[in-house]
Amino acid sequence: MNIFRFAGDMTHLISILVLLLKIYATKSCAGISLKTQELYALVFVTRYFDLFTDFISLYNSVMKVVFIGTTMAIVWCMRRHRIVKRSYDQALDTFRHLFLVLGCLVLALVVHDKFTFQEVFWAFSIYLEAVAILPQLVLLQRSGNVDNLTVQYVFFLGAYRALYILNWIYRYLTEEHFRLWISCISGLVQTALYADFFYYYYISWKNNAKLQLPA
């Protein structure tokens, strides 16, 4: 554990809390991609298979439960909550996310650290997390105008991965046998996907204007 990883974890948690705040305060999920949330739910479930077999620390276990539970709650609200589900715009959220799942699964079967059930699904979760934001980014581009809470959710989600890159750099410089090349490469890809969003976020902040993404 180091300050960059802790900051990354807290930023990730804040992004989820912002999204929950939006849903429960406004009773709306407008501008949120259900497909991205389903991908993240799959990411957490497959990554944390070891929750009941390997104990690292109380902090680690609690964070795993929180990420699984909160993401499942978001998916449930968007699918089942009698009021929230009415605001979900299925016509705009049309990204074919199953292709991402299949592609990442094939990649995990080919490129992994060890060919074991747990390691293959860990690699799968890393690859899938790198591209899970794509349906959300596409939805934002299609909708044009984006509300502030949705903007903050995406911003904190992108910032979390950027902080994790700093964490990996720190660990590479301070740990003799540090080797997480799958996470590092996937993290760089994931952060790069946010580049366009971060640019327009900066422009809106600089001009003190509402963020608008090009269609």
Side-chain angles (χ1 to χ4, degrees), residues 22 24 64 73 133 146 159-160 163 172 195 214:
K22 170 187 168 65
Y24 283 99
K64 290 177 180 179
I133 195 62
V146 188
Y160 132 74
L163 286 167
Y172 178 78

Side-chain angles (χ1 to χ4, degrees), residues 5 44-45 47-52 54-70:
R5 177 178 175 179
F44 296 136
V45 169
R47 182 173 302 169
Y48 301 144
F49 274 137
D50 63 346
L51 183 59
F52 301 106
D54 301 323
F55 179 79
I56 299 174
S57 68
L58 180 61
Y59 170 84
N60 186 272
S61 297
V62 168
M63 292 301 284
K64 290 177 180 179
V65 172
V66 167
F67 285 135
I68 293 174
T70 52

Side-chain angles (χ1 to χ4, degrees), residues 13 42 62 89 112 115 137 146 155 182 188 201:
L13 184 58
L42 185 57
V62 168
D89 197 339
H112 47 260
F115 191 66
L137 294 176
V146 188
F155 171 78
I182 289 178
L188 289 172
Y201 183 92

Side-chain angles (χ1 to χ4, degrees), residues 140-154:
L140 292 182
Q141 287 184 320
R142 288 175 176 174
S143 58
N145 291 320
V146 188
D147 68 84
N148 185 57
L149 286 175
T150 303
V151 169
Q152 299 308 318
Y153 161 69
V154 177

Side-chain angles (χ1 to χ4, degrees), residues 73-85:
I74 292 169
V75 171
W76 181 86
C77 283
M78 294 184 70
R79 280 191 170 276
R80 300 296 181 185
H81 194 284
R82 62 186 182 86
I83 298 176
V84 174
K85 69 179 183 180

